[in-house]
Each structure stands twice: as structure tokens, then as C-alpha cells.
Amino acid sequence: MSEKQPSFLDASIPLIVLVILLSASVYLFGDNSSYGPNQIALFMATAVAVVIGLKNGYRWAVIEKAMVKGISLSLGAVLILLSVGALIGTWMLSGTVPTLIYYGLQLLSPSWFFAASCLLCGIVAMSIGSSWTTAATIGVALIGVAQGLGLSPAITAGAIVSGAYFGDKISPLSETTNLAPAVAGSDLFDHIRHMLWTTVPSFAIALILFTIIGFSTDVSADFDRINEISTVLQQNFSINFTALIPLFVLLAMAVKKVPAFPTVFIGALLGALWAVLFQQDLMTRLVEQDISYALASLKLVWHIFHAGFTIDTGNASLNDLLSGGGMASMLNTIWLVFCAMMFGATIEKIGLLRKFVQSILFFAKSTGSLITSTIATCFVTNVLTADQYMSIVMPGRMFKEEYERRNLAPVNLSRTLEDGGTITSPLIPWNTCGAYMHSVLQVSPLDYAVYAFFNLINPVLAIIYAYCGIKILRLTPPDSVAKDLAAKA
């Protein structure tokens, strides 16, 4: 039996099933939906897609091979996730994160905190080109500061995600910022300059909104709690600028474009070394006393790499603030990523996503509707394939010819791929980016999405630009080029 193209109904059924199951998962399990129920929903939706593929003549061996290949594409992210888990644990032990929290409590004003967090993450992400690294380092500390100031973790997470993704998008060091123009056929720096027209206004609006929230909400700091946390930090950790050296080393490696996996893992190793060298009082309290200090220290660090850091300060809420990390803490996220990638690979292989996109393109008659369709396709790809790279590559391949046919410059497509794909990825709980942010910040995308103002505003602003014809560049016809050259001669 030969393979045949799916119908629009075929393409719609797995998506409808997935939406129903994920909605039921959130309704029934709430915040716990990402800890198993969502994975089962993705498995079930994959099974429906497989049945449709078999009906259309695809052999099981072909579909299974696509699943394995899809999962393999996420292994790079898995290595980073495991390294981030280790890094958070060792940076707790080394005093790096507690020191950041301590100084943050002393320096950051509650009224300006959300806007300052967004701006700080934007600057760091722009410098290193990584929203993930920014969230795992500065972001973790800012969540701790927010808890210390009695501020909303959800709004703080929204500010962190907004800043991290703004900085990531305008940084030439970012992988996705390089990927989008490569797929669309535009120049990297032309792409960044063109993207500034949507990203900068969106970020400015986000900063204004975070400032308004900070000054209009009751964010008066509980100084007794701040003093309590500061005292506990000083009692349990050696708080000084030396503890921040692992952070500076990691940021320097990122700026030098050292790949993310070795950068983060070296940061974790450096955190372990710093703990042994500069947190000896804490280490002495935590290690086993019936074996030598050196061997006990090795065992403790080894344990923290896989199980994370825990501490008993006598205050349950502070224990939660100062504990976390470990590779084991990332295993649920990895499970979610595997299930999502399996679903995405299946619907791509049997042609369901392509059919869905082609049906949308039929209605895209104007430039505004074409760009809107591209953004919508990128978002849907993020939902279905759960991967920001897929949300750039697949729509980019599908729409590139249509943009050329309509005489639109490649930078229009590359900017739109970022506006609709990269920027919306952390808003989806089962997407690799959303799952990562949840694991690192300990705030569900369902909670922080409404406050990720930059990520929400940017696609909307891009659509407004498209319909108004603002900064929509056209290809120069060859005869016009010839006339221009003749005139200059």
C-alpha cells in the first residue's frame, strides 16, 4: 500500500485530541499536570496520529524511526538540562546563589523590582546570547529575591522570561538568532536590525507595564522577613564577592561562545570546587563525621550533583528557598520533552503538519494575512512539535517560496519566524523552553505566561506592522537595480 497525503480532517484530529487531553489534564490535575498527566496526553495524541499514519499507508517501522529521530534531536537540550540541574545544586552549596539573593535583597527596591529584573535579564542574555543560561543563573537568584521581598513569583518569572528572550533575540551569539536568517536566506545583521523594529518597542512596553505593576501594587517590603532571610544566609553561608566568581566565569565562557553544555557543566564543577574551598563551615556541618573530611566532601558533592542541595535552617519556607537543583530534578522535564518530540516527529513524518499549514496558506491573500499565518504556524508548530528550532525550520521551509513569490525580502520571513516561533516557545508548558523555564524557575508557564509581556506583545506588534505595511521590505526588481546602477554611473 503506497503512502498517501492526509486530508485536512486527518491533520486536524490529532491536534483536536491533544488540545482536549491537555485541557482535561490541566482541569483535573492543576499545577501537577506537567508531572505525568501531560506526558500521557502527548502519548495518547501520538497514538491517534500513528493510527492515521497507518491508515494512509505508512509502515510502523517508518513511523517508529521518525519518533526515534525526533527524540534524538532533543538530546542536546537534555544534556543542558542535566547540567543545569547540577549547576543549581552546586551553586547553592558554594554560596553563589545565596550571595546573589543576599545582595539582591539589599539593593533592589520592591517598586522597581519587576522592571529591574526584566532589564537585568535582557542585558545578560544579550551579552551571552542564551535565555536558558540567563534563567538558570540570574533568574534563579531573582526568584529567590522576589520570595524574600514578598513579591509574586509568577510576575517575577514573567519579567525574567521577557528580559531573557529579548536579550537572546538581539544577540548575534544566540543560536536561534543565527538559525532564522539561515533558514530564510537573509544576512544575520540585517536580520537583527530588522528585528529591532518589533523587539525594541515590545520590550519598552513590557518595561513600562512592569514599572506600573511595581508602583501600583502593594509591594511594600516586609523588612522583618528581609532581615530574617539575610541573617539566615549569613549564618549558613560565607557571603562575599568571592562566591560570585563561578558566575563571572560562566558568563565569560558564554560570551566567548563556548557551547552551552560544557559551559554549564564546567560552571557546576566550579561551584563544587568553590564549596570545598570557601564554604568549609557549611561543608563541615553537612558531611558525614565518621569518615575523612576529603572523602566525605567528595560524597556530599557527588550527592548534590544528582539529588540537589537541601538545608535545614529551622524555617520551612527558607529551606525551600535555599534548596534545589540536582540532575534528578530534571528527569520529569526530560520525560515531557521526549513525549512532546515524539508527537511532533510523528505528525511531521506522516504529513499532518504540512497539510495543516497548506490549508492555512490558502486563505493568506494579503501581506498582512501571510505574515499573520506565518506567526500562527510558528506558534502551532511550537504547540505540536514542542521545540523552538522546529518552529523556525519547518515554517521557514514551508513559507520561503511564497515570500519570494510575493516579492518580500528574506528579512521579513526571518523576523517573523522569531516573532512567532522563538518568542512564544516559553509560553507552552510542554515545549522544551516552557518545560525548561518551569524546572529552573519553579513557576509553571500557565502562571507566568500572562506576565511575560514581551513574549505576548511582540507577535501582536508584528501582526500590526504587517497589516499597516510598517517596515515590510520588498525585493528590488532586477530592472530597477539596473536603472539605479546606470543612474549612478
Side-chain angles (χ1 to χ4, degrees), residues 75 90 116 132 155 183 254 262 288 309 329 374:
L75 293 181
T90 61
W132 282 29
I155 300 177
V183 171
E288 296 180 13
F309 177 74
S329 68
T374 307

Side-chain angles (χ1 to χ4, degrees), residues 16-301:
I16 293 171
V17 170
L18 179 62
V19 170
I20 292 173
L21 290 175
L22 289 173
S23 300
S25 172
V26 173
Y27 176 77
L28 294 173
F29 298 97
D31 292 340
N32 293 321
S33 61
S34 293
Y35 295 90
N38 284 352
Q39 287 88 328
I40 302 304
L42 287 161
F43 250 95
M44 293 298 197
T46 302
V48 172
V50 168
V51 171
I52 291 175
L54 295 173
K55 174 184 76 72
N56 290 340
Y58 286 86
R59 292 181 295 110
W60 165 249
V62 173
I63 298 175
E64 183 183 37
K65 184 177 180 181
M67 289 180 184
V68 173
K69 182 179 179 181
I71 291 173
S72 70
L73 294 176
S74 67
L75 293 181
V78 167
L79 294 176
I80 296 172
L81 281 167
L82 292 172
S83 298
V84 166
L87 178 137
I88 293 173
T90 61
W91 279 23
M92 289 288 187
L93 179 66
S94 68
T96 301
V97 170
T99 298
L100 285 169
I101 294 173
Y102 178 85
Y103 288 123
L105 289 173
Q106 313 306 313
L107 299 176
L108 289 175
S109 165
S111 296
W112 290 101
F113 177 77
F114 299 130
S117 297
C118 183
L119 184 60
L120 177 61
C121 288
I123 293 171
V124 172
M126 181 173 59
S127 302
I128 66 177
S130 174
S131 55
W132 282 29
T133 303
T134 301
T137 52
I138 305 300
V140 170
L142 287 171
I143 289 291
V145 174
Q147 292 176 333
L149 293 172
L151 301 176
S152 167
I155 300 177
T156 304
I160 293 167
V161 170
S162 292
Y165 273 81
F166 166 74
D168 187 297
K169 287 311 96 216
I170 64 174
S171 173
L173 304 179
S174 168
E175 291 179 348
T176 52
T177 306
N178 281 271
L179 178 61
V183 171
S186 60
D187 175 77
L188 171 61
F189 291 100
D190 288 343
H191 164 66
I192 293 175
R193 282 192 291 269
H194 197 56
M195 198 162 48
L196 292 176
W197 288 92
T198 55
T199 54
V200 171
S202 300
F203 189 63
I205 295 171
L207 287 176
I208 292 171
L209 292 174
F210 284 123
T211 302
I212 291 173
I213 290 176
F215 279 90
S216 63
T217 308
D218 182 13
V219 293
S220 56
D222 183 347
F223 290 102
D224 289 338
R225 176 171 171 77
I226 292 174
N227 291 333
E228 178 186 8
I229 294 175
S230 299
T231 300
V232 169
L233 290 172
Q234 289 179 313
Q235 289 174 343
N236 290 275
F237 301 92
S238 175
I239 303 294
N240 55 67
F241 283 103
T242 304
L244 299 180
I245 291 178
L247 171 63
F248 296 139
V249 171
L250 183 143
L251 295 179
M253 292 176 65
V255 169
K256 292 294 184 181
K257 299 191 72 173
V258 178
F261 169 47
T263 294
V264 176
F265 191 69
I266 290 171
L269 291 173
L270 193 59
L273 176 63
W274 243 241
V276 174
L277 295 178
F278 300 106
Q279 299 291 340
Q280 294 183 0
D281 290 342
L282 175 63
M283 293 286 291
T284 301
R285 285 168 40 207
L286 296 177
V287 298
E288 296 180 13
Q289 303 298 323
D290 56 345
I291 55 178
S292 68
Y293 177 77
L295 192 59
S297 297
L298 174 62
K299 183 177 180 180
L300 175 64
V301 169

Side-chain angles (χ1 to χ4, degrees), residues 277-357:
L277 295 178
F278 300 106
Q279 299 291 340
Q280 294 183 0
D281 290 342
L282 175 63
M283 293 286 291
T284 301
R285 285 168 40 207
L286 296 177
V287 298
E288 296 180 13
Q289 303 298 323
D290 56 345
I291 55 178
S292 68
Y293 177 77
L295 192 59
S297 297
L298 174 62
K299 183 177 180 180
L300 175 64
V301 169
W302 199 325
H303 173 80
I304 286 173
F305 259 82
H306 76 82
F309 177 74
T310 57
I311 188 171
D312 183 8
T313 64
N315 184 308
S317 62
L318 294 185
N319 292 346
D320 293 337
L321 172 63
L322 300 174
S323 301
M327 291 186 180
S329 68
M330 296 295 173
L331 295 180
N332 184 75
T333 300
I334 292 170
W335 179 22
L336 181 61
V337 169
F338 280 0
C339 293
M341 294 300 289
M342 179 179 67
F343 175 75
T346 301
I347 64 169
E348 181 190 14
K349 182 62 182 177
I350 63 179
L352 302 188
L353 186 60
R354 179 176 293 275
K355 182 64 178 181
F356 191 75
V357 171

Side-chain angles (χ1 to χ4, degrees), residues 355-371:
K355 182 64 178 181
F356 191 75
V357 171
Q358 289 173 344
S359 301
I360 293 176
L361 190 59
F362 176 78
F363 298 98
K365 304 300 183 183
S366 66
T367 298
S369 60
L370 175 63
I371 290 177

Side-chain angles (χ1 to χ4, degrees), residues 449-480:
V450 69
Y451 300 110
F453 297 130
F454 170 73
N455 305 70
L456 296 173
I457 294 169
N458 195 299
V460 175
L461 193 63
I463 292 172
I464 294 173
Y465 277 28
Y467 278 104
C468 295
I470 301 173
K471 297 306 292 183
I472 305 300
L473 302 184
R474 300 279 176 178
L475 290 169
T476 305
D479 57 339
S480 298

